[in-house]
């Protein structure tokens, strides 16, 4: 897989995974924003910002986590020859939960807030890990195993 295809696969993984992780908070903020609009709140910019903020936060956290934690994890799995969809999904979920739990602890959040953030870290990280496997790593691994099988036939 060339560099451009890898970048496209990474962008897809981060975008799709972030959208999966942001679905629940965005639905909640949409309900709140709809209630605010129904009560006569007239500042449309605040309402739009309220709805889009969870998606932007998940996208930023997902991109940072993918670059600083996901790519080294990919290198580790590749070196150990353990690249599977399950390993990427579970690894992404663990990294997402751990990173957001650590971040919550560093800003001195209460336990409920830390667990809530880590839940969204699990969902977002697991989805990004799976999509990275699906779009970026599976084609490489399957092409490599097909070439290896041809050598031994």
């Amino acid at each position: 897989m060339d560099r451009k295809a890898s970048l496209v696969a990474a962008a897809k993984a981060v975008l799709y995974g972030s959208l999966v992780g942001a679905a629940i908070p965005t639905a909640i903020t949409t309900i709140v924003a709809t209630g605010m609009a129904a009560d006569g709140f007239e500042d449309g910019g605040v309402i739009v910002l309220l709805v889009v903020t969870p998606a932007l936060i998940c996208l930023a956290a997902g991109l940072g986590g993918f670059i600083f934690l996901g790519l080294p994890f990919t290198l580790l799995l590749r070196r150990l020859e353990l690249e599977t969809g399950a390993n990427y999904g579970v690894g992404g979920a663990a990294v997402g939960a751990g990173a957001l739990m650590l971040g919550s602890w560093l800003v001195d959040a209460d336990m409920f807030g830390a667990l809530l953030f880590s839940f969204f870290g699990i969902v977002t990280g697991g989805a990004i890990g799976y999509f990275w496997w699906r779009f970026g790593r599976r084609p490489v691994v399957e092409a490599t195993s097909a070439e290896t099988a041809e050598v031994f036939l």
Side-chain angles (χ1 to χ4, degrees):
M1 178 176 282
D2 64 342
R3 185 170 293 194
K4 183 179 177 183
S6 291
L7 286 173
V8 169
K12 281 184 182 180
V14 170
L15 182 63
Y16 293 166
S18 297
L19 288 175
V20 168
I24 294 171
T26 302
I28 293 168
T29 57
T30 301
I31 292 168
V32 170
T34 304
M36 287 172 58
D39 286 343
F41 191 80
E42 296 179 6
D43 191 359
V46 172
I47 291 177
V48 169
L49 188 62
L50 181 66
V51 171
V52 214
T53 299
L56 294 176
I57 290 172
C58 281
L59 185 63
L63 181 61
F66 178 78
I67 291 171
F68 295 111
L69 300 171
L71 291 178
F73 185 70
T74 297
L75 185 63
L76 176 69
L77 288 180
R78 192 171 85 197
R79 295 272 168 123
L80 297 175
E81 297 180 3
L82 294 173
E83 291 185 293
T84 65
N87 286 346
Y88 275 105
V90 170
V95 165
L100 290 181
M101 183 68 85
L102 178 65
S104 298
W105 177 72
L106 288 175
V107 297
D108 203 25
D110 62 343
M111 194 58 168
F112 176 74
L115 290 175
L116 184 66
F117 279 138
S118 66
F119 169 74
F120 293 119
I122 289 170
V123 173
T124 304
I128 290 174
Y130 170 75
F131 286 126
W132 174 236
W133 162 254
R134 174 71 181 87
F135 297 122
R137 298 305 304 158
R138 188 171 92 176
V140 174
V141 171
E142 288 178 353
T144 305
S145 25
E147 291 170 4
T148 304
E150 287 177 10
V151 170
F152 288 110
L153 289 178

